[in-house]
Amino acid sequence: MDSEREAGKSVKHPSGQVCQICGDGVGTTPDGDLFVACSVCNFPVCRACYEYERKEGTQVCPQCKTKYKRHKGSPPIHGEESEDTDADDTSDFNYPSGNQDQKQKISERMLTWRQGQDMGRPKYDSGEIPRYAPSLTASQVSGELPGASPDHMMSPGAHGGKRVHPLPYISHSPNPSREFSGNLGNVAWKERVDGWKMNKDKTAVPTINGTSLAPSEGRGAGDIDASTEYNMDDSLLNDETRQPLSRKVSLPSSRINPYRMVIVLRLIILCIFLHYRITNPVRNAYALWLMSVICEIWFAISWILDQFPKWFPVNRETYLDRLSLRYDREGEPSQLAAVDIFVSTVDPMKEPPLVTANTVLSILSVDYPVDKVSCYVSDDGAAMLTFDALAETSEFARKWVPFCKKYNIEPRAPEFYFAQKIDYLKGKVQTSFVKDRRAMKREYEEFKVRVNGLVAKAQKVPEEGWIMQDGTPWPGNNTRDHPGMIQVFLGHSGGLDTEGNELPRLVYVSREKRPGFQHHKKAGAMNALVRVSAVLTNGPYLLNLDCDHYINNSKALREAMCFLMDPNLGKRVCYVQFPQRFDGIDKNDRYANRNTVFFDINLRGLDGIQGPVYVGTGCVFNRTALYGYEPPLKPKRPNSILSWCCGGKKKDQKSKKKSSEKKKSHKHVDSSVPVFNLEDIEEGVEGAGFDDEKSLLMSQMSLEKRFGQSNVFVASTLMESGGVPQSATPESLLKEAIHVISCGYEDKTEWGTEIGWIYGSVTEDILTGFKMHARGWKSIYCMPKRPAFKGSAPINLSDRLNQVLRWALGSVEILFSRHCPIWYGYGGRLKFLERFAYINTTIYPLTSLPLILYCTLPAVCLFTGKFIIPQISNFASIWFISLFLSIFATGILEMRWSGVGIDEWWRNEQFWVIGGVSAHLFAVFQGLLKVLAGIDTNFTVTSKASDEDGDFAELYMFKWTTLLIPPTTLIIINLIGVVAGISYAINSGYQSWGPLFGKLFFAFWVIVHLYPFLKGLMGRQNRTPTIVIVWAVLLASIFSLLWVRIDPFTTRVTGPDVQQCGINC
């Protein structure tokens, strides 16, 4: 073990790298630089092994499977031109300055991890293949740690003075995306080189089908590879493992090109239309005309910001079989990266514990190596109900997880699995399945009863507060003043299922709350989870889920790893966003809860630019990106019109040259070196190399100022590939974890401003994703055939409007903050069309002002008899007709390439108007009050009892809220306007019917868009249909006016002819 540590350390330092095949030194090039065989992953290989592999082997890197390039001084091989020389050893990515030696010194200083200074070679005589190449790890990881029984209650912080229990924390492996995991491992390749050297003096290596035989054939039983069989042809193996794990699929030109042509045509027609409107004012209704023109100009700008980011929509394909072939082979230790999964909850009365339990159960049973999954549940309300429900969940998981994996069921949330109305026997061949399913359903029903019992008990809080099982008071009795709490329910060896297999880790976390501190709601809770997970497990990737979003596709994590662990693509990806899908929505989706247009059209369009925005849940993050670091630099490309449209701001050539020279002097040569730039966190420390103690201390102080006063956490940020030091004990890690969730930890640090989830808006998701994109990171949109995650959505009208209000309020807060995309981040690498999309997500609530004004104009025109458009000629009417046709054509072609149905598209259009004249309007005024006057106004919902039963009963429940006032007013005045307009036309004669049709069309446009809102006010469908009531009232009013006008039962008296008889006749 000591020699392995020493070997591991020797590789980490560029000055002493060891070949991972033969154990010799890597050596240097004729120019004196360290020899780098593979410029993609920098896998340490010496010149001799590199020459052998090019001449006798597969000619590819054993880690990333990239074909070797010829270096200076290397003879050309067959089929390679002599002048094809990799003279500069250029990499696909030019890393910023800084080196691993510096970061290792900082890490060693802060944690005093002492390792031997002698360089040793890896030993492979233990009789088994090591799980990882020892010299590849950024730091050695710990082995098996003692487990904790679920009976251990909890570990409050130091403020509470409670006990600290040993916990089953375990380190994760380094990032497998930078390691080799093929069938021909490092040991096998080493033996091939040894055999080649031996056969130089003896005989040539025998071949079969042009492939060298494995050196382990014919060896004794005591040899490490004696039991390893290579049934796959080497060339086929390398071809498969070299293939990309995902593919970006552009849309067929037959679908996308007509769509783009119509967009351009619509833009031209829109410009002509606006020119006509501006140059042809209505003299007798100048105020109405001016307001309408201003509204139309704003709508045009809003459409441009929304439409052009959808110019490059793409689809993506993932190859899970290639991922398994490269990182997760059967019979071998898995090389997949570790993932820390976050679940956030606050109030168990509003977020039922049974819903949270189903989410946790779906996580624990995910199709992923159990030692690579850790689930952290954040209880920001410090509720004992959540704690007890999680304890029950951990016990039920011991039975549920093996059942899911044995029969490969989907989904793995029991509530939704047993509620499926499908043939659950389809595809099942085990005879024991029916019996086991019935038994498991009974177990789940008993589990539900226990959880419901906890909920019923929690309805009435005791006067003395809640008491735990050991008789001590629950530390979270005061939800606003309590210590931090951490409890591990399931761990490495402390949590086994009924079949004796390990279960993923399950950790309960409740951060400290004290009066006088700003806790930043969900964003603050997520940042606390980032720090806790970094201290305890430090997985290189993070998945965050809302408590009501369960894993619907057990392979969701593998889908994300196809992007994040790709050797080329994964280095620049900050997160992989999955679309949100929902259960429990009525078939007509009255209030556009599915939001299909946004998830299936807008985000797919952004995926072709710089990636989708972060939508708050169902997102797998790269931990490095959350720490505020920049991605590796891409190779320079020649400027073009396309790069100008989709690229960020360019620097002048002189500054580029200086920057490139500076980065070249600090060029990374080790694949384990993090991709971030130490200069970002070391102001004033340049060129010293950290050889002296003073500069090292300055760097340490700079890191602590950035990340907080925790040496353990700061050291974990330097481990790009994750893991915790093996020298750390569970007790010390737990104590440090309690420290990093204290309410004063973030003071005078960059948490919430540059690191983690960004503060300053209730929609912290948009702000966090925007900061990452502004630094140059790229995000990915993954849409597997089976939805990865599913959640619940409010189907009640008032609840839905309040949800939209919250989103819109967050956008307004961003609009008036320093992070507004209109003026923030121009010095970074945010692409032009990506900025368009972020500007649109920020200013869209402002559209409510012209929208409500525009929806009022039809009624005003009908009341006054005036109109916003003058009498037009036949030629001018062509442009009006063309504008309407282009709008319809854009929608049709958009539905064609996206697969969105016309009903979903139309529901989105309707709710855009409903939300715009209600929630968005209130968000603008509430945001202005909050930003300018510091007044935080909340609009509460008062629920009234409903006697409705059955499915979707909540859909018909009426809850009064002030958000209902504006759209109700618009419907009433437009209906009255229609009646008044028709009455005026009847009284004025036939010549007034022509102008009336334009006004009626305008009014009906408003009424049709607000129809779902009106339907929600009228009640249940199986009673009198809403449309019948609306049209009955409208037609009754019109016919009444006609009746009065015609008056058929009154005898008409024909008077004298005035022209003949005069006025006095």
Side-chain angles (χ1 to χ4, degrees):
M1 176 62 74
D2 291 338
S3 64
E4 291 178 357
R5 287 189 201 169
E6 293 162 4
K9 182 172 181 179
S10 65
V11 173
K12 287 182 288 188
H13 296 277
S15 59
Q17 280 201 338
V18 174
C19 176
Q20 296 302 299
I21 301 167
C22 64
D24 295 337
V26 171
T28 59
T29 63
D31 298 333
D33 298 328
L34 188 71
F35 177 74
V36 180
C38 177
S39 60
V40 174
C41 67
N42 298 340
F43 184 72
V45 175
C46 67
R47 170 76 75 166
C49 297
Y50 160 78
E51 295 292 357
Y52 161 75
E53 184 60 23
R54 291 187 70 247
K55 184 177 180 181
E56 304 289 342
T58 59
Q59 303 175 14
V60 298
C61 172
Q63 174 169 282
C64 66
K65 308 304 177 186
T66 304
K67 186 175 180 179
Y68 274 142
K69 297 180 181 179
R70 185 163 71 93
H71 295 280
K72 283 184 178 180
S74 299
I77 60 175
H78 179 68
E80 188 177 52
E81 296 181 1
S82 59
E83 60 270 13
D84 182 19
T85 304
D86 186 10
D88 298 326
D89 293 344
T90 56
S91 172
D92 287 345
F93 300 96
N94 299 318
Y95 291 100
S97 61
N99 58 67
Q100 179 67 7
D101 194 20
Q102 298 168 352
K103 287 174 269 303
Q104 183 63 23
K105 285 184 178 181
I106 300 169
S107 177
E108 289 173 352
R109 181 181 180 86
M110 288 186 290
L111 290 180
T112 64
W113 300 338
R114 297 181 179 176
Q115 296 179 344
Q117 298 298 323
D118 298 333
M119 297 182 182
R121 297 184 181 181
K123 296 182 180 180
Y124 302 110
D125 55 358
S126 59
E128 62 180 20
I129 299 177
R131 182 168 184 175
Y132 303 104
S135 56
L136 283 179
T137 60
S139 66
Q140 294 296 324
V141 297
S142 63
E144 196 170 304
L145 297 177
S149 168
D151 296 333
H152 292 168
M153 285 307 299
M154 50 163 287
S155 300
H159 296 281
K162 299 295 186 294
R163 300 181 302 277
V164 176
H165 296 280
L167 299 176
Y169 301 128
I170 181 173
S171 315
H172 286 324
S173 66
N175 188 348
S177 67
R178 306 185 184 279
E179 297 185 16
F180 170 60
S181 57
N183 239 353
L184 298 178
N186 296 332
V187 180
W189 212 39
K190 173 180 180 297
E191 291 180 346
R192 288 174 58 188
V193 177
D194 292 341
W196 169 63
K197 292 177 179 178
M198 292 171 57
N199 287 328
K200 274 188 175 182
D201 301 329
K202 297 181 181 180
T203 59
V205 178
T207 59
I208 298 178
N209 296 330
T211 304
S212 301
L213 292 175
S216 59
E217 292 183 7
R219 303 181 71 166
D223 189 66
I224 183 172
D225 278 342
S227 60
T228 305
E229 296 180 1
Y230 301 101
N231 298 323
M232 189 180 298
D233 184 83
D234 283 0
S235 60
L236 176 62
L237 171 67
N238 288 309
D239 286 341
E240 286 293 328
T241 55
R242 246 180 11 212
Q243 296 297 320
L245 302 179
S246 63
R247 183 168 71 100
K248 183 164 67 173
V249 183
S250 300
L251 296 181
S253 57
S254 59
R255 294 191 175 187
I256 194 61
N257 287 342
Y259 174 67
R260 292 170 177 167
M261 291 172 60
V262 169
I263 291 175
V264 175
L265 185 62
R266 179 176 172 180
L267 181 62
I268 296 172
I269 294 174
L270 184 61
C271 293
I272 297 174
F273 170 80
L274 292 176
H275 177 266
Y276 174 82
R277 294 282 285 124
I278 294 172
T279 56
N280 291 271
V282 182
R283 302 299 178 185
N284 62 341
Y286 192 83
L288 295 179
W289 167 83
L290 182 61
M291 288 188 294
S292 65
V293 169
I294 293 174
C295 294
E296 289 163 1
I297 292 174
W298 180 266
F299 294 151
I301 296 173
S302 179
W303 172 76
I304 291 173
L305 292 175
D306 178 71
Q307 187 67 66
F308 280 89
K310 296 183 279 189
W311 189 266
F312 300 101
V314 297
N315 296 318
R316 293 189 184 270
E317 294 179 354
T318 56
Y319 304 106
L320 299 181
D321 53 342
R322 296 177 185 174
L323 181 75
S324 299
L325 185 63
R326 183 177 296 185
Y327 297 118
D328 192 28
R329 300 197 180 194
E330 188 175 354
E332 297 181 9
S334 175
Q335 303 288 324
L336 290 172
V339 182
D340 294 337
I341 304 177
F342 301 162
V343 179
S344 57
T345 182
V346 180
D347 187 353
M349 294 300 150
K350 295 181 180 179
E351 300 164 331
L354 193 61
V355 174
T356 304
N358 273 271
T359 300
V360 172
L361 290 169
S362 70
I363 293 171
L364 297 178
S365 55
V366 70
D367 183 9
Y368 207 74
V370 294
D371 60 321
K372 305 299 180 75
V373 177
S374 301
C375 178
Y376 293 83
V377 179
S378 170
D379 178 18
D380 221 29
M384 188 172 175
L385 172 57
T386 303
F387 182 87
D388 290 340
L390 211 57
E392 290 286 350
T393 303
S394 65
E395 288 300 314
F396 178 70
R398 301 176 191 272
K399 306 171 185 177
W400 173 252
V401 173
F403 171 75
C404 294
K405 295 187 176 181
K406 180 179 180 181
Y407 297 109
N408 195 27
I409 66 169
E410 296 282 2
R412 299 187 177 181
E415 181 71 23
F416 301 95
Y417 170 70
F418 291 120
Q420 290 182 115
K421 298 178 180 179
I422 61 173
D423 181 13
Y424 62 85
L425 297 177
K426 185 177 181 181
K428 299 295 185 292
V429 295
Q430 298 98 321
T431 56
S432 59
F433 173 68
V434 175
K435 181 180 178 181
D436 290 349
R437 185 181 186 276
R438 290 173 180 169
M440 185 53 59
K441 188 174 183 180
R442 181 180 179 86
E443 291 283 353
Y444 177 64
E445 290 172 348
E446 294 176 354
F447 166 73
K448 287 177 65 176
V449 170
R450 293 194 297 271
V451 174
N452 291 336
L454 294 174
V455 175
K457 180 182 177 182
Q459 297 294 327
K460 186 177 181 180
V461 181
E463 293 182 0
E464 66 278 7
W466 298 108
I467 304 297
M468 294 188 294
Q469 293 180 1
D470 59 357
T472 58
W474 171 250
N477 280 325
N478 187 344
T479 58
R480 298 184 179 181
D481 187 3
H482 64 83
M485 296 176 282
I486 295 177
Q487 169 66 39
V488 177
F489 288 103
L490 299 173
H492 180 65
S493 59
L496 302 178
D497 60 26
T498 53
E499 298 181 359
N501 299 318
E502 292 180 18
L503 289 171
R505 298 158 199 79
L506 176 60
V507 184
Y508 169 89
V509 179
S510 181
R511 59 180 173 145
E512 183 186 22
K513 293 283 186 70
R514 300 295 179 191
F517 286 90
Q518 178 61 261
H519 298 106
H520 301 289
K521 299 181 180 179
K522 181 182 176 181
M526 298 304 296
N527 285 337
L529 287 182
V530 171
R531 296 191 295 270
V532 167
S533 62
V535 170
L536 299 183
T537 51
N538 200 26
Y541 302 112
L542 312 172
L543 165 64
N544 88 286
L545 294 173
D546 289 343
C547 64
D548 61 343
H549 273 71
Y550 65 91
I551 298 180
N552 183 64
N553 183 347
S554 61
K555 297 185 182 296
L557 294 181
R558 295 178 180 267
E559 295 276 356
M561 291 304 113
C562 286
F563 303 102
L564 293 169
M565 295 185 67
D566 189 281
N568 295 321
L569 178 64
K571 298 175 183 178
R572 337 186 276 278
V573 175
C574 56
Y575 59 81
V576 176
Q577 178 66 62
F578 291 86
Q580 292 185 21
R581 305 298 188 212
F582 301 99
D583 288 317
I585 298 177
D586 59 301
K587 62 179 181 180
N588 295 321
D589 192 14
R590 180 185 295 179
Y591 306 123
N593 283 282
R594 292 191 178 92
N595 218 353
T596 313
V597 171
F598 175 74
F599 288 113
D600 289 11
I601 297 180
N602 294 63
L603 294 190
R604 286 170 67 186
L606 290 176
D607 198 19
I609 305 172
Q610 198 175 345
V613 298
Y614 168 42
V615 297
T617 183
C619 187
V620 183
F621 283 95
N622 183 340
R623 188 184 284 269
T624 302
L626 274 175
Y627 287 157
Y629 297 122
E630 294 184 354
L633 301 177
K634 297 173 65 175
K636 303 297 181 183
R637 295 182 180 179
N639 293 331
S640 64
I641 296 178
L642 186 62
S643 63
W644 179 85
C645 292
C646 304
K649 185 178 180 180
K650 305 295 182 182
K651 297 182 179 180
D652 57 90
Q653 296 295 328
K654 190 173 182 180
S655 62
K656 281 184 179 180
K657 186 176 181 181
K658 289 183 179 179
S659 177
S660 63
E661 290 175 355
K662 187 175 183 180
K663 289 168 183 173
K664 188 175 181 181
S665 63
H666 297 281
K667 184 177 179 181
H668 286 278
V669 293
D670 190 356
S671 64
S672 62
V673 176
V675 298
F676 48 79
N677 186 356
L678 268 181
E679 290 179 350
D680 293 338
I681 52 179
E682 297 163 7
E683 297 179 2
V685 183
E686 296 181 2
F690 298 94
D691 292 333
D692 56 280
E693 291 295 323
K694 183 178 178 180
S695 61
L696 183 61
L697 181 61
M698 291 176 63
S699 174
Q700 177 182 344
M701 293 173 62
S702 178
L703 286 167
E704 290 182 350
K705 183 178 179 181
R706 181 179 175 93
F707 293 106
Q709 298 292 324
S710 171
N711 292 338
V712 175
F713 174 73
V714 172
S716 72
T717 64
L718 302 178
M719 303 175 189
E720 183 197 6
S721 47
V724 296
Q726 69 170 8
S727 59
T729 63
E731 291 80 6
S732 64
L733 291 179
L734 178 62
K735 183 178 180 181
E736 197 67 24
I738 291 292
H739 168 60
V740 298
I741 60 173
S742 60
C743 52
Y745 181 84
E746 295 183 356
D747 291 349
K748 298 180 180 180
T749 67
E750 295 185 6
W751 283 100
T753 56
E754 299 296 332
I755 302 173
W757 271 257
I758 306 301
Y759 303 149
S761 171
V762 294
T763 53
E764 70 288 331
D765 46 3
I766 298 294
L767 202 52
T768 303
F770 173 64
K771 292 279 286 188
M772 293 182 184
H773 283 136
R775 295 187 186 104
W777 289 95
K778 178 180 177 61
S779 58
I780 298 293
Y781 196 51
C782 182
M783 297 179 64
K785 291 182 179 180
R786 180 179 180 86
F789 310 100
K790 279 191 174 182
S792 58
I795 62 175
N796 181 267
L797 174 60
S798 299
D799 293 341
R800 172 71 166 139
L801 289 178
N802 274 273
Q803 181 190 55
V804 175
L805 170 64
R806 178 183 172 275
W807 295 342
L809 177 59
S811 296
V812 175
E813 290 174 341
I814 297 174
L815 177 63
F816 293 107
S817 71
R818 73 181 186 92
H819 291 119
C820 178
I822 298 176
W823 54 71
Y824 181 83
Y826 281 97
R829 289 178 278 177
L830 184 67
K831 293 188 177 180
F832 189 68
L833 291 181
E834 191 80 11
R835 183 179 298 276
F836 261 37
Y838 274 109
I839 292 176
N840 185 50
T841 60
T842 303
I843 69 169
Y844 77 90
L846 298 182
T847 307
S848 60
L849 298 174
L851 182 60
I852 198 168
L853 183 62
Y854 210 67
C855 291
T856 309
L857 287 177
V860 176
C861 292
L862 288 168
F863 285 134
T864 60
K866 300 177 181 179
F867 200 37
I868 59 175
I869 300 175
Q871 187 173 1
I872 59 177
S873 63
N874 293 333
F875 179 76
S877 64
I878 295 177
W879 298 114
F880 282 82
I881 297 174
S882 300
L883 180 61
F884 284 111
L885 291 178
S886 66
I887 293 173
F888 292 134
T890 306
I892 292 172
L893 292 175
E894 201 167 67
M895 290 183 283
R896 183 169 176 259
W897 68 254
S898 65
V900 174
I902 189 171
D903 54 339
E904 297 171 316
W905 182 84
W906 175 238
R907 282 284 182 262
N908 181 78
E909 292 294 313
Q910 288 179 314
F911 200 78
W912 175 76
V913 176
I914 295 172
V917 299
S918 57
H920 297 173
L921 180 68
F922 278 77
V924 171
F925 288 108
Q926 186 176 354
L928 289 173
L929 287 175
K930 186 174 182 179
V931 172
L932 301 180
I935 302 174
D936 193 0
T937 306
N938 293 319
F939 300 94
T940 57
V941 178
T942 303
S943 176
K944 294 186 179 181
S946 172
D947 57 356
E948 305 292 347
D949 296 321
D951 294 337
F952 311 117
E954 187 184 357
L955 180 66
Y956 314 109
M957 185 183 300
F958 181 78
K959 299 180 181 180
W960 170 252
T961 173
T962 50
L963 298 177
L964 302 177
I965 296 176
T968 306
T969 305
L970 286 176
I971 289 178
I972 292 175
I973 63 173
N974 276 281
L975 288 175
I976 296 176
V978 169
V979 175
I982 294 177
S983 174
Y984 177 80
I986 292 173
N987 290 322
S988 301
Y990 293 105
Q991 69 276 6
S992 62
W993 284 94
L996 178 65
F997 283 118
K999 304 171 188 176
L1000 289 178
F1001 175 80
F1002 201 7
F1004 280 127
W1005 178 89
V1006 177
I1007 295 172
V1008 169
H1009 277 81
L1010 293 176
Y1011 172 70
F1013 175 84
L1014 184 61
K1015 199 173 182 180
L1017 293 180
M1018 299 305 294
R1020 195 173 179 87
Q1021 279 180 319
N1022 58 10
R1023 296 177 181 174
T1024 306
T1026 307
I1027 192 65
V1028 173
I1029 297 175
V1030 174
W1031 283 106
V1033 173
L1034 185 61
L1035 294 176
S1037 303
I1038 294 173
F1039 282 124
S1040 298
L1041 294 171
L1042 286 173
W1043 187 275
V1044 173
R1045 174 63 178 169
I1046 298 171
D1047 201 5
F1049 297 104
T1050 303
T1051 304
R1052 290 187 176 276
V1053 179
T1054 304
D1057 191 344
V1058 178
Q1059 291 182 355
Q1060 294 179 0
C1061 305
I1063 191 66
N1064 296 321
C1065 181

